[in-house]
Amino acid sequence: MAYHKVNADQRVQGHSPYLDSDDLQATALDLEWDMEKELEEPGFDHFRLDGAAQHPLGNSQRPDLDLEPIQPSTSPKGRFQRLQEDPDYISHYTRQAPKSNRCNCQMLKVLCTVLILFILGILVGYYAHRKCPPSSTSPEPNNPHVYQEILKEIKAENIHQIYRDLLQFPREEDTDVAMRILARWTSHGLEDVQLANYSVLLDLPGSSSNTVTLKNSGDCFYPSGQQCNREAKKLRVQDLPYSYAAYSAKGTLEAELVDVQYGTVEDLVRIQAITDVTKKIALLKLGQSPLLYKLSLLEDAGFGGVLLYIDPCDLPKTAELADKAFMVSLNSGGDPSTPGYPSSDGIYRRNRSNLTTLLVQPVSAVLVKKLISLPEDGNRKDRCIPLELPATEKKIISLNIQSVATYKTISNVIGYLKGTVFPDRYVIIGSHHNGLNSYDGQEWASSTAVITAFIEALMLKAKRGWRPDRTIVFCSWGGTSFGNIGSYEWAEDLKRVLQRNVVAYISLHNPVRGNSTLHPISSPSLQQLAAESQSFNCVEKTKCPGSNVSSVQIQGDSDYFINHLGVPATQFSYEDVKASENSSFLFEALFPVHTTKPEELDPSFRLHETIAKLTGQVTLRIASEPVLPFNALDIALEVQNSLKGNFCGQVDTQQLLAVASRLRDTAELFQSDEMRPANDPKERAPIRVRMLNDVLQSLEKSFVVRQAPPGLYRNILYRLDERTSQFSVLLEALEHSKLHQSNETIQAALSEVLNSINSAQVYFKAGLDVFETALAGKK
């Protein structure tokens, strides 16, 4: 076995420019030393020199070489460097003087060997020159021109064609749709595309629709507002069962209807002061705060059921949804039968088809008007009057809810484009598909078309030799409308790997929900990158200049990555102008849209093109820049801003502000002393870059609290909506104290926030200490 020392200048073209560093050479030699120690096992204690002839076993007339066994090296530099520095190196391995009658034969062998090696060298060089692309065709992966070459291949007409192709899929099971997406991605050259299948518990509609009966008159209504004894008009019969709340309690409840408006703490305090709400049915508006949070308040108050609707005054003028019922999911995330762990074969499963004791039924605004005896044209055309049940009227209704819990297979499509420099670091970009015959209309096709167009453009460049520094993982999730089940199960399955390897999550959930304004959402560490990408890619016609990037709770499969892994995330989408401040969280309603709505919102698909390019720009920069483009100081500033404002005088934020101030000072020092030099190629060292990226990758993990109220993010860096700038957990604790007349929840929330800020401060400080120690050691 012949061994060679690899010189520092003998590197393969195309490697990262940081490979010329002395630090990396030392590291490579250390790794070489470790590998050599592995080889020093019994049977490997004698080694043959380069060029030594191989002798057969047994008798031989040729003299044997007098080789002494090589003892295991103790030098950290590696065996071969030690041998070269050993003054007795030559004397240990001198050959015996050859006999005179062998001289000519030996010279002839040497000449033949040299000639053969010369010819082989010419052949290898010739074919290598033919097969390897010239260096000019393999540009640096972090070259901005490369990004533009990739993004210019994304065209509106291509996205539109992909979208129409996707809609040709018949209504099939989830796995069938996933297989078709897999085939499409594979056809574009994406490597290592696979299905991840999980058998999960779904709550599906029964054979007949749920009903609401007005006991005063005996009239029975479907959730859409149509009477039970009439034929459905302008609404497909198969849509009727799909107006339901997945994972609601089942059964029949007859009780008084109580109007709780948006179900805020103020609403409940007002209602409980005038009536007993035990086992009654709440008339609840969707919006203003998360549905799961409001339901938890109603459940604690003692309600037995909920009629859920959207007030027409909260809808944009362009939305005509007043006569449509909808679906909601009461699942906070993942397979309900395997909470916290993946739905693998043979795993223990719990019977959790009901995730609440409330009977919850979504209904249309048309039905609400009938229940409160409001005429159809009760609202004036010049202004909208919010719906409200008159205080003098007492309505008794009977609510009948039936659904079926069953196990179904949902599938995720996962494809990888491996990185060259940091292949163990993942940038995940996710969309979702719909194959369970339920909701989302054609929005899933819009999401899938955008990510597929980006894959197509990316692989055109990859086929010419380009690769990102980090691995890009493309995901199409299944089971999203039932509580982000596909993404939860996959992430729970690979939790250990993802905790260590995921760098960022880029969401493509329903990218075109309207056509008036661009709505970018990003975690604090990625806000600057999202803003820069906007100014770089936006087309004037698409109205995206000037859009503010915010950190608010978002819909879709980014949930697990944000709230359980603490991964920085971002999302670009187009939306309509909100009709009121209560319009937040209306996205929790899923309507059965049968028209080609994305084509109506964006006939030219220019908005889709802009979303694809914005998403692509962010993805490429995170995947290819040597230093992750995260901003540590923005996190500290977000923390300070979240502690300002009105806490009703009940929260003493002085201690929090002091810790936040120290966090800001440390973040400023970290950004100036470590990130600035690392971004300068002349000062950049590979070991320090890797250490720096490891710190940046985990910046937001400190802010994931152990537990949060239902519907609120565990990652406290995200606010409820644009109206509030304070920490959501603190605001909720203040609200909770009004109901229970106790400060216990406030103190618990304060402790969680204080611990998070202090943990982030310690983390930054530890990172600085490591760099200082490494720098001192190098000197």
Side-chain angles (χ1 to χ4, degrees):
M1 182 181 296
Y3 283 77
H4 301 274
K5 178 184 176 184
V6 180
N7 295 328
D9 57 349
Q10 294 176 341
R11 299 182 177 87
V12 180
Q13 293 184 0
H15 280 198
S16 170
Y18 323 129
L19 294 180
D20 293 330
S21 165
D22 293 335
D23 289 343
L24 189 55
Q25 295 175 29
T27 304
L29 290 173
D30 289 344
L31 293 174
E32 177 189 30
W33 165 236
D34 292 338
M35 183 175 68
E36 290 164 3
K37 288 196 294 184
E38 293 289 336
L39 294 175
E40 290 166 358
E41 299 291 338
F44 288 93
D45 55 347
H46 288 73
F47 300 90
R48 186 180 296 110
L49 287 177
D50 286 345
Q54 299 184 13
H55 303 297
L57 297 176
N59 296 331
S60 174
Q61 297 179 356
R62 298 180 62 184
D64 293 332
L65 295 177
D66 185 14
L67 297 179
E68 296 181 5
I70 300 176
Q71 298 301 321
S73 171
T74 58
S75 169
K77 296 181 179 180
R79 176 183 298 120
F80 296 97
Q81 189 162 347
R82 180 183 69 82
L83 292 177
Q84 289 175 353
E85 294 171 354
D86 192 338
D88 297 327
Y89 173 71
I90 298 178
S91 63
H92 285 172
Y93 295 96
T94 53
R95 298 176 182 271
Q96 293 181 351
K99 296 180 180 181
S100 59
N101 61 353
R102 299 284 184 180
C103 182
N104 294 335
C105 182
Q106 292 282 35
M107 291 182 63
L108 180 60
K109 287 183 177 180
V110 170
L111 289 175
C112 291
T113 301
V114 171
L115 181 61
I116 291 172
L117 291 175
F118 178 73
I119 296 173
L120 286 175
I122 293 176
L123 292 174
V124 170
Y126 172 74
Y127 284 105
H129 179 73
R130 288 188 60 185
K131 293 181 180 180
C132 295
S135 58
S136 59
T137 61
S138 298
E140 291 297 328
N142 58 334
N143 186 343
H145 295 294
V146 176
Y147 307 159
Q148 291 312 303
E149 290 177 12
I150 294 172
L151 298 179
K152 74 178 182 181
E153 298 295 336
I154 300 176
K155 298 180 175 62
E157 52 270 24
N158 292 347
I159 300 176
H160 196 183
Q161 185 58 51
I162 296 171
Y163 171 82
R164 292 198 164 189
D165 292 345
L166 291 171
L167 290 183
Q168 299 304 313
F169 293 176
R171 294 242 174 182
E172 298 173 325
E173 292 296 321
D174 189 85
T175 302
D176 297 324
V177 176
M179 284 293 295
R180 292 175 179 269
I181 295 173
L182 181 146
R184 180 115 196 183
W185 288 7
T186 304
S187 68
H188 294 314
L190 188 63
E191 60 197 32
D192 193 15
V193 188
Q194 55 193 248
L195 286 185
N197 297 327
Y198 299 95
S199 177
V200 300
L201 182 65
L202 300 182
D203 193 32
L204 300 176
S207 57
S208 60
S209 176
N210 298 336
T211 59
V212 178
T213 303
L214 188 58
K215 300 303 292 185
N216 301 33
S217 62
D219 293 332
C220 172
F221 299 95
Y222 292 129
S224 63
Q226 294 183 335
Q227 289 190 334
C228 302
N229 58 353
R230 295 183 181 179
E231 292 292 331
K233 298 179 180 179
K234 300 181 180 179
L235 187 65
R236 301 183 183 184
V237 176
Q238 64 264 31
D239 292 331
L240 294 176
Y242 288 91
S243 299
Y244 79 114
Y247 307 105
S248 164
K250 286 83 174 172
T252 302
L253 175 63
E254 181 177 321
E256 181 184 350
L257 188 64
V258 178
D259 189 356
V260 297
Q261 290 294 299
Y262 292 96
T264 64
V265 170
E266 287 81 3
D267 291 328
L268 291 180
V269 170
R270 173 179 52 84
I271 294 298
Q272 287 180 309
I274 59 177
T275 185
D276 180 14
V277 299
T278 304
K279 296 299 179 182
K280 293 185 178 179
I281 299 174
L283 182 61
L284 175 67
K285 294 181 182 181
L286 190 67
Q288 190 168 340
S289 58
L291 174 61
L292 292 184
Y293 175 65
K294 296 193 291 187
L295 292 181
S296 69
L297 296 179
L298 295 175
E299 192 171 13
D300 290 343
F303 279 93
V306 175
L307 281 189
L308 181 67
Y309 73 102
I310 297 178
D311 195 305
C313 297
D314 294 336
L315 289 169
K317 294 180 180 180
T318 55
E320 299 179 358
L321 301 172
D323 62 339
K324 293 183 175 63
F326 51 91
M327 171 204 174
V328 293
S329 175
L330 308 185
N331 181 15
S332 59
D335 179 7
S337 68
T338 59
Y341 50 94
S343 299
S344 306
D345 292 339
I347 204 75
Y348 170 71
R349 298 179 183 273
R350 304 181 187 181
N351 183 14
R352 300 182 70 216
S353 60
N354 301 348
L355 298 181
T356 178
T357 60
L358 297 170
L359 278 76
V360 183
Q361 177 59 54
V363 296
S364 69
V366 170
L367 176 55
V368 173
K369 291 178 182 180
K370 293 179 179 179
L371 295 178
I372 65 177
S373 304
L374 183 70
E376 290 288 339
D377 56 350
N379 284 344
R380 294 174 54 184
K381 295 183 179 180
D382 56 340
R383 66 187 182 94
C384 185
I385 302 176
L387 297 181
E388 184 177 4
L389 178 66
T392 56
E393 292 192 24
K394 186 176 181 180
K395 300 286 184 178
I396 306 295
I397 66 170
S398 177
L399 182 59
N400 179 38
I401 295 180
Q402 301 296 329
S403 57
V404 179
T406 183
Y407 283 94
K408 289 274 190 178
T409 298
I410 61 100
S411 302
N412 303 319
V413 187
I414 313 293
Y416 298 84
L417 177 59
K418 298 294 179 61
T420 56
V421 182
F422 308 111
D424 61 333
R425 292 296 181 259
Y426 305 153
V427 181
I428 299 181
I429 175 172
S431 64
H432 71 284
H433 58 265
N434 178 19
L436 288 171
N437 221 9
S438 58
Y439 279 79
D440 261 359
Q442 283 78 39
E443 291 177 348
W444 73 269
S446 175
S447 172
T448 308
V450 171
I451 194 173
T452 303
F454 179 47
I455 291 173
E456 184 177 351
L458 202 61
M459 296 313 298
L460 288 175
K461 192 68 175 177
K463 290 175 182 177
R464 297 194 291 267
W466 175 87
R467 289 277 167 157
D469 282 5
R470 300 173 183 86
T471 297
I472 303 177
V473 185
F474 298 92
C475 305
S476 180
W477 307 113
T480 298
S481 57
F482 289 90
N484 307 318
I485 292 180
S487 55
Y488 258 76
E489 297 311 302
W490 183 78
E492 288 172 347
D493 203 4
L494 302 176
K495 183 176 180 179
R496 298 291 184 187
V497 176
L498 299 178
Q499 283 177 328
R500 181 182 68 252
N501 292 355
V502 176
V503 170
Y505 185 90
I506 317 298
S507 175
L508 274 171
H509 184 83
N510 295 352
V512 180
R513 309 165 194 173
N515 56 11
S516 58
T517 57
L518 180 71
H519 189 215
I521 298 174
S522 177
S523 57
S525 59
L526 283 175
Q527 284 185 2
Q528 183 174 328
L529 176 61
E532 291 173 357
S533 299
Q534 278 189 88
S535 60
F536 199 70
N537 280 291
C538 282
V539 182
E540 183 178 354
K541 294 180 180 179
T542 56
K543 306 176 185 177
C544 59
S547 300
N548 294 323
V549 185
S550 60
S551 297
V552 297
Q553 294 191 190
I554 57 179
Q555 180 189 18
D557 292 282
S558 57
D559 182 85
Y560 189 91
F561 300 92
I562 293 173
N563 290 307
H564 294 268
L565 301 179
V567 173
T570 188
Q571 171 184 282
F572 295 96
S573 62
Y574 275 95
E575 296 184 354
D576 287 324
V577 176
K578 293 184 177 180
S580 72
E581 64 179 13
N582 299 317
S583 298
S584 300
F585 297 98
L586 294 186
F587 58 72
E588 295 180 312
L590 301 177
F591 287 90
V593 181
H594 296 285
T595 59
T596 54
K597 191 173 183 180
E599 289 182 297
E600 294 177 357
L601 292 172
D602 184 22
S604 65
F605 270 66
R606 292 295 177 187
L607 302 183
H608 287 77
E609 178 185 329
T610 300
I611 295 295
K613 290 185 175 181
L614 288 171
T615 303
Q617 174 81 4
V618 170
T619 303
L620 290 170
R621 288 192 59 184
I622 298 175
S624 295
E625 292 196 0
V627 178
L628 290 170
F630 297 169
N631 197 306
L633 183 57
D634 283 352
I635 294 179
L637 295 175
E638 185 79 9
V639 169
Q640 284 190 317
N641 291 334
S642 297
L643 291 173
K644 298 176 182 178
N646 181 22
F647 282 101
C648 304
Q650 300 184 43
V651 177
D652 184 6
T653 59
Q654 293 305 313
Q655 186 178 8
L656 293 174
L657 287 170
V659 178
S661 179
R662 291 197 295 271
L663 173 63
R664 177 175 177 174
D665 292 340
T666 308
E668 286 180 340
L669 187 62
F670 179 85
Q671 197 143 317
S672 61
D673 285 12
E674 300 303 332
M675 293 191 68
R676 182 194 55 77
N679 280 297
D680 185 350
K682 296 180 181 179
E683 301 183 40
R684 190 181 296 150
I687 295 299
R688 291 174 66 82
V689 167
R690 184 62 188 243
M691 292 165 58
L692 175 61
N693 283 337
D694 287 345
V695 174
L696 292 173
Q697 179 181 331
S698 301
L699 289 178
E700 298 188 13
K701 287 181 170 59
S702 299
F703 297 96
V704 178
V705 298
R706 291 170 298 175
Q707 190 173 2
L712 272 67
Y713 271 14
R714 289 178 57 202
N715 189 328
I716 63 175
L717 291 175
Y718 289 78
R719 296 174 279 109
L720 277 177
D721 51 46
E722 287 87 352
R723 295 177 299 145
T724 58
S725 59
Q726 291 80 25
F727 284 118
S728 300
V729 291
L730 288 181
L731 292 177
E732 190 280 331
L734 288 172
E735 295 294 303
H736 194 270
S737 67
K738 297 177 184 177
L739 280 176
H740 300 277
Q741 301 297 318
S742 170
N743 290 332
E744 184 178 349
T745 55
I746 296 179
Q747 296 304 319
L750 282 171
S751 297
E752 290 278 15
V753 174
L754 178 62
N755 181 64
S756 295
I757 301 174
N758 188 63
S759 176
Q761 150 70 14
V762 171
Y763 181 76
F764 277 126
K765 185 64 169 59
L768 286 171
D769 292 342
V770 168
F771 285 118
E772 290 174 2
T773 303
L775 186 59
K778 185 176 180 180
K779 290 181 178 179

